Amino acid sequence: MSVQNPLSRRQFVARAAAAGVAVSVVGSVDALYTAQPALGTSGPKIGYGPLIEDPKGMLDLPRGFKYAVLSREGTVRPDGIKTPSRFDGMGTFPDRHGGNRLVRNHECSPTATIGVKAPPERTYDPMGFGGTSTLVVDRHQHTTKEFTSLGGTAINCSGGITPWRTWLTCEETELKAGESGYTKDHGFIFEVDPYDDRRNVHPTPLKQMGRFQHEAVAIDPATGIVYETEDAFIAPLGGFYRFLPNRPRGGWGSLRAGGELQAMHIPDLPDLSVVQEAGAEFRGVQWVKVPDPLATSESVRAQDYAKPITGGYKLEGCWWGALDRCVYFVSSFARTELGPKVDHDGQVWRYDPRRKTLRLMVIFTRPKPGSDDPEFDAPDNITMSPYGGLMMCEDGLGEQHILGTTEDGEVFKFARNRVNNGTPEEPEYGELAGAGFSADGRTMFFNVYTPGITYAITGPWRRRR
């Protein structure tokens, strides 16, 4: 992506305030607002307008947009199994009949209301309650098929889509066999095929990609390198990793051939939270080999590295920028009482593999330092809109939204969850997750975490307001 119209701090602060969102987005972030040229549009100028209250009390959207409910937690499916709880990350794939296929994570632990149930041949650990569901959705946004494609895993959080159109689902845990009732070690990545479910039998953990609190992954299609984020919320800080596959050309099962896992090292920068100025750039990014990817005795992030690795608090969303050939990743927030050196309410970083540079593209800050305004909380799952701009899923307290951004620097509310909004007393809340667009750009899909709901959103995406 070219850098032609950098956004000033004043633009972002003014527009965020006008949108009523308690967040200031600072810095030059034009690369994040470039639309896909094939769609022939540069995105909304000032968002899609105010949210219209849904008479059904489910989801508020701008005028002209509508939703379809594709799946609900607890629904009895044709196979007699109830749809599991805790809808989280999700991958969207085109279906040959003109619709879409969705592979949805279930971040289930033994405490989940409804755990994932799968036949033995699709179960990794019979005492694991996480996994994935596959949905087949026709062009009219009707779910024609829904089934369990992976079972017996644990706390499946997010993941990523491979260039060969499979879903990598990530376990966000480090628990071993014998802990919490599990019979096998957990904390791995698994590959799920959305098209050929016969490939999903006998689930195989991709062990050399590391055993840690995985969040999301993104793949460089030119090199096959897989970038991985670690959502560590207890000390030490989580790492940002890359996996060099032995079979870089990819294809189903190619990651089972193994490779080398490496962690990012930036000299004199042990903690990403200390960087508070958007546009700050670090050159000469290095990668050091992970001594023990299986974390047999020490967590991956706590091992004895040849050079100290650079850490970040709650490293979550991760995606590949196809136009600028860079990988973006998110630190959702940082609080000093939890281990980081400096507070912030969200960072978006860009790593350029060719230049070996890491640059802070966006930093979210409260209008009043240390304030706790629940109107906006830490971004989690993030996707690029094909019409330009970020679409961010909130994972915090109070009202939960899909937030959008425009090329002019506006932060706007695109959707508001009305079914369930969290409070400090509710540890499970109405987090929004798994946002992604269909290949033709006409439909946006996302989830409500609990109670689990999967939505399809259609409407005037090209509308100018």
Side-chain angles (χ1 to χ4, degrees):
M1 298 179 188
S2 62
V3 179
Q4 298 175 344
N5 299 305
L7 299 165
S8 70
R9 176 191 179 98
R10 185 176 62 182
Q11 281 180 298
F12 266 116
V13 172
R15 292 180 180 275
V21 181
V23 60
S24 300
V25 187
V26 249
S28 174
V29 294
D30 52 291
L32 300 176
Y33 301 104
T34 305
Q36 294 181 8
L39 294 178
T41 177
S42 59
K45 295 296 182 184
I46 59 171
Y48 292 104
L51 302 182
I52 307 300
E53 186 172 322
D54 178 14
K56 296 181 179 179
M58 293 190 66
L59 190 69
D60 297 343
L61 296 168
R63 180 180 59 83
F65 287 87
K66 61 182 180 180
Y67 66 83
V69 175
L70 303 179
S71 176
R72 282 178 179 265
E73 173 185 340
T75 301
V76 179
R77 304 192 300 218
D79 58 8
I81 295 176
K82 289 184 178 180
T83 300
S85 304
R86 301 181 183 177
F87 295 10
D88 210 316
M90 186 164 65
T92 302
F93 306 86
D95 186 68
R96 63 180 181 177
H97 299 296
N100 293 276
R101 289 176 176 248
L102 310 176
V103 182
R104 181 185 62 213
N105 284 358
H106 296 277
E107 196 182 37
C108 293
S109 66
T111 63
T113 303
I114 307 173
V116 175
K117 292 184 178 180
E121 65 273 14
R122 285 180 175 77
T123 300
Y124 167 66
D125 177 353
M127 296 305 294
F129 293 88
T132 63
S133 293
T134 297
L135 286 71
V136 180
V137 182
D138 67 21
R139 65 184 67 191
H140 304 293
Q141 313 310 331
H142 297 140
T143 301
T144 61
K145 186 182 295 186
E146 181 176 354
F147 57 91
T148 300
S149 43
L150 172 67
T153 51
I155 313 177
N156 295 69
C157 191
S158 190
I161 296 173
T162 70
W164 50 93
R165 291 185 175 179
T166 61
W167 174 246
L168 297 181
T169 180
C170 298
E171 293 185 306
E172 188 187 356
T173 182
E174 295 177 315
L175 292 175
K176 295 182 177 181
E179 298 177 320
S180 296
Y182 294 125
T183 64
K184 294 184 178 181
D185 291 351
H186 290 270
F188 296 114
I189 296 174
F190 293 79
E191 186 172 20
V192 179
D193 192 318
Y195 299 104
D196 188 353
D197 197 47
R198 294 171 296 182
R199 287 176 164 176
N200 298 325
V201 299
H202 310 306
T204 302
L206 302 173
K207 293 185 176 182
Q208 292 190 38
M209 296 183 74
R211 194 184 70 81
F212 55 85
Q213 292 175 204
H214 287 280
E215 174 72 24
V217 300
I219 300 180
D220 179 348
T223 63
I225 293 174
V226 184
Y227 295 92
E228 310 175 28
T229 56
E230 182 177 21
D231 186 6
F233 41 84
I234 57 174
L237 298 175
F240 183 58
Y241 305 92
R242 72 176 187 180
F243 178 71
L244 309 180
N246 290 333
R247 288 177 54 189
R249 293 188 177 183
W252 166 258
S254 61
L255 296 172
R256 298 183 187 182
E260 182 173 297
L261 183 66
Q262 301 174 335
M264 182 176 68
H265 163 73
I266 299 175
D268 302 319
L269 183 62
D271 182 352
L272 294 174
S273 74
V274 303
V275 185
Q276 297 281 303
E277 189 67 32
E281 185 171 275
F282 300 85
R283 300 180 181 275
V285 173
Q286 302 173 32
W287 297 90
V288 292
K289 184 177 180 179
V290 174
D292 177 17
L294 290 177
T296 53
S297 58
E298 290 282 351
S299 296
V300 166
R301 63 186 183 277
Q303 292 176 19
D304 186 15
Y305 285 88
K307 298 178 181 179
I309 67 173
T310 299
Y313 191 74
K314 288 191 70 64
L315 301 185
E316 303 207 52
C318 184
W319 73 96
W320 178 256
L323 296 182
D324 63 354
R325 291 182 288 173
C326 296
V327 63
Y328 293 81
F329 66 94
V330 174
S331 171
S332 280
F333 66 89
R335 294 290 182 269
T336 55
E337 63 267 26
L338 300 173
K341 296 291 186 183
V342 183
D343 290 349
H344 67 74
D345 286 281
Q347 295 174 325
V348 181
W349 292 89
R350 180 178 70 180
Y351 172 65
D352 186 333
R354 293 164 297 169
R355 297 176 57 232
K356 298 181 180 179
T357 59
L358 183 72
R359 186 181 188 193
L360 180 60
M361 302 299 292
V362 183
I363 182 165
F364 299 89
T365 57
R366 298 288 178 185
K368 179 182 178 182
S371 66
D372 190 22
D373 187 336
E375 186 172 10
F376 181 88
D377 284 275
D380 192 333
N381 290 177
I382 296 182
T383 189
M384 285 291 294
S385 166
Y387 303 95
L390 291 169
M391 301 298 280
M392 303 179 287
C393 299
E394 279 194 295
D395 176 11
L397 299 174
E399 291 187 337
Q400 302 294 285
H401 301 90
I402 298 288
L403 296 173
T405 54
T406 73
E407 61 181 352
D408 292 333
E410 180 189 358
V411 179
F412 63 91
K413 299 175 183 178
F414 175 74
R416 176 170 51 229
N417 176 25
R418 292 272 304 284
V419 174
N420 180 25
N421 283 305
T423 67
E425 291 75 30
E426 297 179 54
E428 294 183 354
Y429 40 80
E431 169 191 349
L432 301 178
F437 284 82
S438 58
D440 61 11
R442 296 179 180 178
T443 308
M444 180 184 185
F445 301 97
F446 63 84
N447 298 318
V448 172
Y449 183 86
T450 185
I453 303 172
T454 299
Y455 287 108
I457 310 299
T458 54
W461 292 107
R462 289 184 171 87
R463 182 175 71 202
R464 303 291 192 272
R465 293 284 298 181

